[in-house]
């Protein structure tokens, strides 16, 4: 199985980026071709890699999904056939501590024909701790337990090229937050499976998601967009209402609530992209997997 990798960077972590590329180059098996996308920035000098390294410098910041989509297109010349069978997406300040991660990905995809997406385990390089938010299921107390899941981690995953060919790329209009779940729901609706694999590890420093200035607004707006794009009409207000209640119960600060509420209203008032509601059997499938699409 031919693997490619997409690394998106804002250019502010050059040493971490070089270390990540070194860990990709050290993977067992066939070399991995890497595409590094500078999201509105010039890229630093980067090392040559056994599988080849291509770079793309975007004139403006397209956001996380938009930038990653550019990387995806690099493996699909002129909109034709993919040149790789699966694409790894890795955060630029991550690091693959084991040299057999790529081989584990190949073996997992080969063993299960319906497996479309693999979500890696993110662990702090100093403590080995995995944050609860990095386990993509509601029952997240045991990060070492593998399972089928309903979403995946954006900066530590592998996606079959066939998934993109069938259901489309990441929603570029989201810019930041919940773009993975949008793709996951479309993939599940098309019959693909998603697996959380704790034996595929990416080291990444423990950081709060709110470090991003746009966090509260984008999270709220994109939750509404996610529902409007993908859920049966009757579930759209239920999903949005549940997240409104959960946000209130978490007692955000005044500034955080103001940003969140502004994003929530924006989600209803602005275009969200094409609407393709999932089938009710997909709703039931999500429910059986432990996360009904109302939370």
């Amino acid at each position: 199985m031919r693997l490619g990798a997409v690394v998106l960077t804002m250019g502010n972590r050059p040493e971490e980026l070089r270390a990540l590329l070194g860990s990709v180059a050290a993977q067992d098996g066939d070399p991995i071709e890497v595409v590094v996308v500078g999201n509105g920035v010039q890229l630093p000098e980067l090392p040559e890699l056994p599988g080849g390294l291509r770079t793309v410098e975007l004139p403006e910041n397209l956001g996380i999904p938009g930038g990653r989509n550019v990387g995806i297109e690099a493996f699909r010349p002129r909109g034709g056939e993919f040149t790789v069978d699966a694409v790894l997406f890795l955060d630029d300040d991550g690091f693959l501590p084991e040299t057999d991660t790529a081989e584990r990905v190949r073996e997992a995809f080969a063993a299960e024909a319906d497996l479309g997406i693999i979500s890696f385990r993110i662990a702090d390089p100093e403590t080995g701790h995995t944050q609860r938010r990095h386990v993509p299921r509601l029952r997240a107390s045991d990060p070492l337990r593998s399972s089928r899941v309903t979403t995946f981690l954006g900066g530590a995953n592998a996606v079959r090229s066939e998934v993109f060919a069938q259901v489309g790329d990441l929603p570029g209009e989201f810019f930041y937050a919940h773009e993975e779940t949008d793709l996951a729901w479309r993939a599940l609706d098309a019959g693909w499976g998603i697996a959380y694999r704790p034996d595929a590890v990416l080291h990444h420093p423990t950081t709060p998601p709110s470090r991003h200035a746009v966090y509260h607004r984008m999270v709220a707006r994109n939750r509404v967009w996610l529902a409007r794009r993908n859920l049966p009409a009757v579930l759209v207000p239920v999903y949005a209402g549940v997240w409104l209640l959960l946000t209130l119960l978490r007692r955000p600060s005044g500034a955080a609530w103001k940003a969140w509420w502004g994003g929530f209203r924006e989600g209803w008032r602005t275009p969200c992209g094409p609407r393709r509601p999932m089938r009710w059997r997909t709703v039931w499938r999500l429910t059986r997997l432990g996360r009904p699409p109302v939370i």
Side-chain angles (χ1 to χ4, degrees), residues 76-95:
R76 184 167 47 191
R78 295 178 294 279
E81 296 292 324
F82 276 95
T83 59
V84 294
D85 299 302
V87 181
L88 310 180
F89 295 89
L90 304 170
D91 275 351
D92 66 344
D93 55 346
F95 184 86

Side-chain angles (χ1 to χ4, degrees), residues 26-55:
Q27 292 298 300
D28 300 333
D30 292 338
I32 301 171
E33 182 181 0
V34 180
V35 174
V36 177
V37 179
N39 212 356
V41 297
Q42 289 187 332
L43 292 171
E45 184 177 347
L46 298 174
E48 295 184 5
L49 300 180
L53 172 67
R54 284 185 283 168
T55 60

